[in-house]
Amino acid sequence: MFAAEGELPSVPYFAITEDSNHKPNENLIGFWAHDREEVDRIAELVVRYGGTIDSGPWQFPISPTYYAVYFQDPCGNKYEMVHRLN
């Protein structure tokens, strides 16, 4: 489950339900980061808690301001954490 800061259930949140056979799909869930340091911090947490880094964290050639990490949770669900200047 991912939630905004504050008390549930009054803040925005969503949860991912595991497939009973632990088979992820091809969806990618993306999150905006406040800054590059937040992207790096999430990458460290992914590794610490058993996830897999697919790519990054680094500056991607999508644009000169696109800094991201792509990763999977231990069940194989795919995510992106990105910081992008406007």
Side-chain angles (χ1 to χ4, degrees), residues 17-32:
T17 304
E18 282 186 40
D19 181 276
S20 60
N21 296 317
H22 299 283
K23 294 182 179 178
N25 59 35
E26 292 300 315
N27 289 327
L28 172 72
I29 298 171
F31 298 93
W32 288 107

Side-chain angles (χ1 to χ4, degrees), residues 13-66:
Y13 75 94
F14 74 92
I16 297 171
T17 304
E18 282 186 40
D19 181 276
S20 60
N21 296 317
H22 299 283
K23 294 182 179 178
N25 59 35
E26 292 300 315
N27 289 327
L28 172 72
I29 298 171
F31 298 93
W32 288 107
H34 179 71
D35 52 30
R36 288 179 174 216
E37 289 76 20
E38 186 174 18
V39 173
D40 294 338
R41 189 170 51 255
I42 292 298
E44 291 172 9
L45 291 171
V46 166
V47 172
R48 182 182 309 156
Y49 292 105
T52 304
I53 302 292
D54 292 330
S55 190
W58 53 57
Q59 178 90 26
F60 283 83
I62 294 168
S63 84
T65 63
Y66 199 94

